[in-house]
Amino acid sequence: MKLTLFTDYSIRVLLYLAARPDRRCSIAEIARAYRISQNHLMKVVNDLARSGYIDSVRGRGGGIRLGKLPEEINIGALVRHTEEGFDLVDCPSCVVAPACGMTGVLREAVSAFLAVLDKYSLADLMQKRGDLARLLSSAE
């Protein structure tokens, strides 16, 4: 299973903001820190703002910051929000799907994957906040 870049970038944005809780950050600085596309990041940030994961203020002196406490941001919920679907294969169009045991096995595997993610919050990922902030600062 592979998560989309949209999910990857969403997690990166939240990690970056959690490492800097004392200030607003810009999309440009996050893009520079991770060496990723600012245009793609703008789409991610807009979605995260619409969903309440981050607060966004436009204009001079604006920027983005977490919209919730890191303890309130569940990684499993975030992944469910950012991913379109979790079909690992196209079982609905397969002629043997009604008799194949693989459909149930894959459904169980995805459930187990999401159950693990549900155990963690953004705060759990921030256990090494100082190291994370240092690594991101050196990348800017």
Side-chain angles (χ1 to χ4, degrees):
M1 178 171 192
K2 183 175 181 178
L3 298 176
T4 61
L5 276 179
F6 195 87
T7 298
D8 178 18
Y9 289 0
S10 295
I11 294 168
R12 290 184 196 206
V13 166
L14 296 176
L15 285 169
Y16 190 93
L17 298 176
R20 291 162 174 77
D22 54 332
R23 67 177 183 88
R24 293 190 184 278
C25 302
S26 72
I27 294 171
E29 76 180 81
I30 297 170
R32 278 192 310 273
Y34 287 119
R35 297 181 186 106
I36 58 179
S37 163
Q38 187 172 332
N39 289 335
H40 194 71
L41 207 54
M42 287 173 65
K43 296 173 191 172
V44 169
V45 166
N46 285 333
D47 179 71
L48 291 173
R50 276 194 313 274
S51 352
Y53 285 102
I54 63 174
D55 289 329
S56 176
V57 175
R58 293 183 180 264
R60 187 167 172 87
I64 57 175
R65 66 178 173 202
L66 289 179
K68 302 176 180 183
L69 295 172
E71 297 80 16
E72 297 172 343
I73 298 176
N74 180 270
I75 302 303
L78 175 67
V79 169
R80 283 182 187 85
H81 170 76
T82 57
E83 289 294 318
E84 290 288 320
F86 292 97
D87 293 334
L88 297 179
V89 294
D90 190 17
C91 289
S93 68
C94 180
V95 296
V96 298
C100 174
M102 196 63 192
T103 303
V105 170
L106 292 175
R107 190 176 307 119
E108 183 181 350
V110 169
S111 293
F113 173 76
L114 292 170
V116 170
L117 295 177
D118 285 339
K119 294 179 185 179
Y120 296 94
S121 71
L122 183 60
D124 295 321
L125 303 182
M126 299 301 300
Q127 294 299 316
K128 295 183 178 181
R129 178 178 295 195
D131 291 346
L132 183 61
R134 183 181 45 76
L135 288 168
L136 290 170
S137 293
S138 67
E140 291 176 355

